[in-house]
Amino acid sequence: MAVKIGNIDLGEFPLLLAPMEDVSDPPFRYVCKQSGVDLMYTEFVSSEGLIRDAAKSRQKLDVFEYERPIGIQIFGSDIDHMREATEIASQAGPDLIDINYGCPVKNVACRGAGSALLQDIDKMVSMTAAVVKATHLPVTVKTRLGWDDNTKNIYEVAERLQDVGIQALSIHGRTRAQMYKGEADWTLIKEVKKNPRIKIPVFGNGDVDSPVKAANWRLEYEVDGIMIGRAAIGYPWIFREVKHFFKTGQFLEGPTIDERVDICHTHLIKSVEWKGPKTGIFEMRRHYANYFKGIPNFKEYRMKLVGLDNMAAIEDVLNDIRNKFDTVLV
């Protein structure tokens, strides 16, 4: 049976790209979309930034037709500002609005936004209700199990947020206190999903980094779909590999050197198109090591790539990589 968020049909068991700050921008989303991801989100956008019309926040609202369905994710600590930001984000034409109640980093959580709301469920519920009322689009939420081991309140959170109108919930299987350490615990995600009161789709997130894990956890935890984050960085092929395994039970061969170079180059071109040459080339530097992870003796090439600020020179190095490593299996 198809999973739906409002009128958005996501197919039988959707794979979602997690919103990641400084990662899931349009260039990165482009290469993930090519690999078959079913639903993507923007990087999280500050409600304060949107209200102040900050250029960086406004730029994060850029969504493109080929990305659909796409959600804009917003975060903030002030209910009125979140309402206002929802109206601004809705005008950018996404398919849905997502609220970030999961980000654990200090400069978000310590300002009372992101996962900090897990310490004040009443405020979280009021904020969510305000966002739902402020838009004609479906509203979804991404959150964590709780603030720490003593306050794993996701069961209550899920019920109360559904009651005020959210249409899907993505749960990262860690508390805020865990940050990204330790292992994600999906047992509570399963409990939320099996709660007879919960009628909305529930998506699991945290530590899915292989087709086998995706298939096993799909069965074990009975979620409606899986959200993948860090495992897709430099490896957008994870989406097509998981789908192939679901369909056939067979492993798809990993990307060749040619494919790695091609997708890295596509990402670079999109980055320059969207951000301009200077920023586009500079911000691409964080991705090279991931695209070529596992290739022996690659350090020399990585050092070259991160040292260059000229598109043609970078393309020459990428071609060198293609030629030098074309017989290497990784």
Side-chain angles (χ1 to χ4, degrees):
M1 209 169 84
V3 174
K4 284 190 153 188
I5 299 176
N7 293 321
I8 306 164
D9 186 333
L10 297 175
E12 191 186 328
F13 188 86
L15 300 180
L16 291 69
L17 175 66
M20 293 176 282
E21 176 68 352
D22 292 331
V23 176
S24 46
D25 57 11
F28 179 72
R29 298 198 303 261
Y30 182 87
V31 295
C32 288
K33 189 69 179 180
Q34 286 188 308
S35 194
V37 67
D38 296 299
L39 174 62
M40 303 189 290
Y41 296 91
T42 61
E43 299 170 83
F44 63 31
V45 190
S46 157
S47 56
E48 307 295 327
L50 285 184
I51 290 166
R52 290 198 313 271
D53 207 14
K56 193 173 180 200
S57 296
R58 282 283 178 168
Q59 192 186 25
K60 287 181 182 178
L61 296 182
D62 284 357
V63 294
F64 300 91
E65 281 304 311
Y66 64 77
E67 298 185 290
R68 297 192 185 283
I70 176 98
I72 290 176
Q73 190 189 66
I74 58 174
F75 74 99
S77 59
D78 182 284
I79 293 175
D80 286 335
H81 291 178
M82 282 289 280
R83 183 188 293 116
E84 210 176 317
T86 301
E87 291 169 0
I88 296 167
S90 300
Q91 287 165 9
D95 298 288
L96 56 89
I97 300 290
D98 187 75
I99 312 173
N100 180 318
Y101 291 139
C103 181
V105 300
K106 267 190 182 156
N107 66 354
V108 174
C110 293
R111 289 184 190 159
S115 58
L117 275 304
L118 286 162
Q119 297 178 101
D120 189 345
I121 306 303
D122 289 345
K123 182 177 177 183
M124 182 196 271
V125 171
S126 299
M127 184 179 282
T128 306
V131 169
V132 169
K133 283 185 188 129
T135 183
H136 62 289
L137 297 168
V139 173
T140 61
V141 160
K142 179 160 195 263
T143 189
R144 288 182 168 233
L145 302 177
W147 179 256
D148 57 25
D149 280 347
N150 301 317
T151 56
K152 289 184 178 173
N153 44 20
I154 187 63
Y155 199 85
E156 176 196 349
V157 165
E159 288 189 349
R160 292 184 65 185
L161 295 188
Q162 177 180 267
D163 288 348
V164 294
I166 71 163
Q167 298 195 36
L169 180 65
S170 300
I171 306 169
H172 182 99
R174 288 181 173 85
T175 62
R176 190 273 169 173
Q178 279 181 275
M179 303 294 283
Y180 294 99
K181 297 185 179 77
E183 289 186 357
D185 173 11
W186 283 48
T187 52
L188 278 174
I189 303 176
K190 180 176 182 175
E191 282 182 32
V192 171
K193 177 59 205 166
K194 293 196 71 119
N195 177 354
R197 273 205 61 210
I198 296 296
K199 308 297 182 201
I200 58 174
V202 174
F203 304 119
N205 172 232
D207 294 354
V208 175
D209 55 9
S210 70
V212 170
K213 203 178 270 187
N216 288 344
W217 290 11
R218 175 183 182 175
L219 290 174
E220 187 176 348
Y221 298 111
E222 300 174 39
V223 289
D224 295 294
I226 287 174
M227 180 179 272
I228 295 174
R230 287 174 293 169
I233 299 174
Y235 205 85
W237 302 279
I238 181 98
F239 298 105
R240 78 174 187 192
E241 289 179 9
V242 168
K243 286 190 163 183
H244 183 81
F245 191 78
F246 283 169
K247 199 178 280 185
T248 66
Q250 309 278 311
F251 290 105
L252 196 61
E253 280 194 15
T256 61
I257 293 290
D258 269 347
E259 272 191 286
R260 287 173 184 258
V261 171
D262 286 345
I263 293 296
C264 181
H265 185 229
T266 299
H267 192 163
L268 173 65
I269 288 169
K270 291 287 175 188
S271 189
V272 168
E273 280 175 3
W274 188 58
K275 302 170 187 173
K278 190 177 174 189
T279 308
I281 287 171
F282 178 75
E283 293 194 355
M284 191 63 196
R285 290 175 180 173
R286 65 170 72 101
H287 293 284
Y288 295 127
N290 292 307
Y291 273 117
F292 300 104
K293 194 184 277 178
I295 297 177
N297 308 315
F298 187 74
K299 188 177 178 187
E300 170 199 347
Y301 288 90
R302 186 179 69 78
M303 298 309 287
K304 277 186 192 171
L305 287 169
V306 299
L308 294 168
D309 55 13
N310 173 283
M311 188 78 169
I314 294 170
E315 287 172 335
D316 285 343
V317 175
L318 288 173
N319 281 325
D320 283 350
I321 293 166
R322 191 193 301 274
N323 296 329
K324 168 151 191 202
F325 295 104
D326 61 349
T327 55
V328 175
L329 292 174
V330 286

